[in-house]
Amino acid sequence: MAKALREPKDTSAQAIARLREAGLRPTRQRVELAGVLFQSGDRHVTAESLHDEVAQTGVKVSLATVYNTLHQFTEAGLLRQVIVDAARSYFDTNTGDHQHFFVEKEGLLIDIPGESIAVAGVPAPPAGLSVDRVDVVVRVRRN
Amino acid sequence: MAKALREPKDTSAQAIARLREAGLRPTRQRVELAGVLFQSGDRHVTAESLHDEVAQTGVKVSLATVYNTLHQFTEAGLLRQVIVDAARSYFDTNTGDHQHFFVEKEGLLIDIPGESIAVAGVPAPPAGLSVDRVDVVVRVRRN
DNA sequence: CTCACAGTTTAGAATGGTTCTAATTCGTTG
DNA sequence: CAACGAATTAGAACCATTCTAAACTGTGAG
């Protein structure tokens, strides 16, 4: 009776709680997606990769819903959108302060902890503008 | 006979020279696009904005050619592609070391000189990967 | 100067990720 | 459990970008 295995019920319960806190109605699809996204540690997904992944668990969620959900989760602060590729959008379950390595050829994102990296010397933005956030993308390639 | 005005002939000559140096055949379209792009100082364009701009000078260049040319110029090192927006690609005539402010709502890019900004603490990339370049995007919004 | 050919341009079709639409289904509250 | 607003969905629509195949144009040879 120590820490329970990650049974479906358990995972769902956590997902439902998370959704409720975020003010999102816990529908079957959202619970399922939240389960996949937040079960393991930090993850980076695209709409399509998530759609495929969920499909493989046997649950049916339309691509439109995946897109809707990804955006809702982002608005709710559960996800963060990462723009590194002109071709597709990535979503990151790590919403804290951090940056990324990006392997373009493979579409692979790797977190860089926020504490380790520092950007100095950012000039004050032109009048009338204020800084929203600073994104650093370290583009890397296979040797 | 001091510095000449920027007459068409003059501009074209410069553009042609630039193209030749880059190993690109100076066609009417490329000369025209290079003229628009490199005449004034640093510029940020999208395929569509450049297409519109050139169209207004009365020259006819197809959108496909604008895309082709933008990519050829980029490969030739005359332009640099800037990825800040999931919706469209920007191209920057400033190919030197520098970063950007980005006003998402307006699709506006503003250069930050490379000397003023410094990124410290970038960890070594995982084995097998090497750093290609580090992009910093300071996302700003209108007050 | 002219020819011929590789390199370019082009209109329009095709692509691919994302968003929209309108109808159906589902959660929640009373 | 009824009923209403919210969510889901299939498929159409969108839009930036790329592709295709045909027409055109620099350029270097002769």
Side-chain angles (χ1 to χ4, degrees):
Chain A
M1 57 170 54
K3 192 173 293 175
L5 297 171
R6 295 192 180 282
E7 298 166 22
K9 194 174 255 173
D10 204 56
T11 298
S12 298
Q14 290 175 220
I16 289 171
R18 202 185 285 265
L19 290 170
R20 285 238 156 80
E21 279 167 41
L24 293 169
R25 213 200 274 200
T27 64
R28 177 175 63 75
Q29 293 82 341
R30 297 212 271 231
V31 170
E32 186 64 32
L33 290 168
V36 169
L37 284 171
F38 306 117
Q39 208 160 159
S40 29
D42 297 341
R43 303 205 48 193
H44 303 98
V45 302
T46 64
E48 218 186 346
S49 78
L50 181 57
H51 183 243
D52 289 354
E53 189 174 343
V54 171
Q56 286 188 317
T57 73
V59 183
K60 244 180 39 183
V61 179
S62 77
L63 189 54
T65 297
V66 172
Y67 275 103
N68 290 339
T69 304
L70 247 15
H71 288 144
Q72 291 153 356
F73 282 12
T74 300
E75 274 174 54
L78 264 31
L79 290 177
R80 169 173 147 187
Q81 190 166 4
V82 182
I83 298 173
V84 287
D85 192 324
R88 81 194 96 262
S89 275
Y90 289 83
F91 292 84
D92 190 343
T93 58
N94 179 351
T95 56
D97 170 41
H98 72 289
Q99 306 298 345
H100 297 98
F101 284 118
F102 180 56
V103 190
E104 182 167 19
K105 287 255 180 65
E106 304 166 35
L108 175 64
L109 276 170
I110 302 166
D111 283 351
I112 299 176
E115 317 85 55
S116 75
I117 214 166
V119 180
V122 175
L129 297 171
S130 49
V131 176
D132 202 52
R133 79 180 206 208
V134 178
D135 287 339
V136 177
V137 178
V138 182
R139 296 178 186 276
V140 295
R141 54 153 68 111
R142 221 98 226 175
N143 292 331
Chain B
M1 56 175 49
K3 193 173 293 176
L5 295 172
R6 296 191 180 282
E7 297 166 20
K9 194 175 257 177
D10 206 56
T11 297
S12 298
Q14 290 175 220
I16 290 172
R18 203 185 284 263
L19 291 170
R20 285 238 155 80
E21 279 167 41
L24 293 169
R25 207 199 277 199
T27 64
R28 178 176 63 74
Q29 293 84 339
R30 297 213 270 230
V31 170
E32 186 63 34
L33 291 168
V36 168
L37 284 170
F38 305 117
Q39 208 160 158
S40 30
D42 297 340
R43 303 204 50 192
H44 303 97
V45 302
T46 63
E48 218 186 347
S49 78
L50 181 58
H51 183 244
D52 290 354
E53 189 175 344
V54 170
Q56 285 187 317
T57 74
V59 183
K60 243 180 42 182
V61 180
S62 77
L63 189 54
T65 297
V66 173
Y67 275 103
N68 291 339
T69 303
L70 247 16
H71 288 143
Q72 291 153 357
F73 283 11
T74 299
E75 274 174 53
L78 263 32
L79 290 177
R80 169 173 148 185
Q81 190 166 5
V82 182
I83 297 173
V84 287
D85 191 323
R88 81 194 92 261
S89 275
Y90 289 84
F91 292 85
D92 190 343
T93 59
N94 179 351
T95 57
D97 171 42
H98 72 288
Q99 305 298 344
H100 296 98
F101 284 117
F102 181 55
V103 191
E104 182 166 18
K105 287 255 179 64
E106 303 166 35
L108 175 64
L109 276 170
I110 301 167
D111 282 352
I112 300 176
E115 316 85 56
S116 75
I117 214 167
V119 181
V122 176
L129 297 172
S130 49
V131 176
D132 202 52
R133 79 181 207 208
V134 179
D135 287 339
V136 177
V137 178
V138 181
R139 295 178 187 277
V140 296
R141 53 153 67 110
R142 221 100 224 171
N143 294 330

